[in-house]
Amino acid sequence: MAYISSHQSGITHQELQEAIPESLLSKNVHLHWIDKSPSERGLYTFTAKMEIDGQMLLLSSKTSDTLLIDDWDVNDPTYHTNARLVALERILTDPANEDILLSL
């Protein structure tokens, strides 16, 4: 039986399970953390450290979505969690990460 877990505060098991693509639900998935950092020319990079079936991965995705970046720093835990979940969904569905995820 696969398990899904997280060290990221504010993200529930149910939210994490809903953010993970169906193709990964049969695997053991552990989210260590997710963060954002400024990149070039107004872009931000979302990065997630995840362990999937024993493989430690650093996956990332770039965005220019300023609303999502602004919501990241809102002190309301609901907004905070939602921004991280949207970022995680973007990372896991980014075509740049597709080959890595398919190889697992």
Side-chain angles (χ1 to χ4, degrees), residues 37 87 104:
S37 59
L104 298 174

Side-chain angles (χ1 to χ4, degrees), residues 37-45 62-66 69:
S37 59
S39 194
E40 73 269 356
R41 296 186 205 109
L43 291 176
Y44 278 81
T45 300
K62 292 193 183 295
T63 188
S64 61
D65 185 343
T66 55
I69 298 304

Side-chain angles (χ1 to χ4, degrees), residues 33-84:
W33 50 260
I34 186 166
D35 205 358
K36 67 168 177 56
S37 59
S39 194
E40 73 269 356
R41 296 186 205 109
L43 291 176
Y44 278 81
T45 300
F46 296 129
T47 305
K49 181 179 179 183
M50 302 183 73
E51 188 173 344
I52 302 175
D53 278 350
Q55 299 277 339
M56 193 64 70
L57 303 170
L58 277 177
L59 301 171
S60 63
S61 181
K62 292 193 183 295
T63 188
S64 61
D65 185 343
T66 55
L67 292 175
L68 184 59
I69 298 304
D70 292 343
D71 281 351
W72 196 281
D73 293 321
V74 171
N75 289 327
D76 179 344
T78 303
Y79 276 82
H80 204 65
T81 299
N82 287 342
R84 282 178 167 74

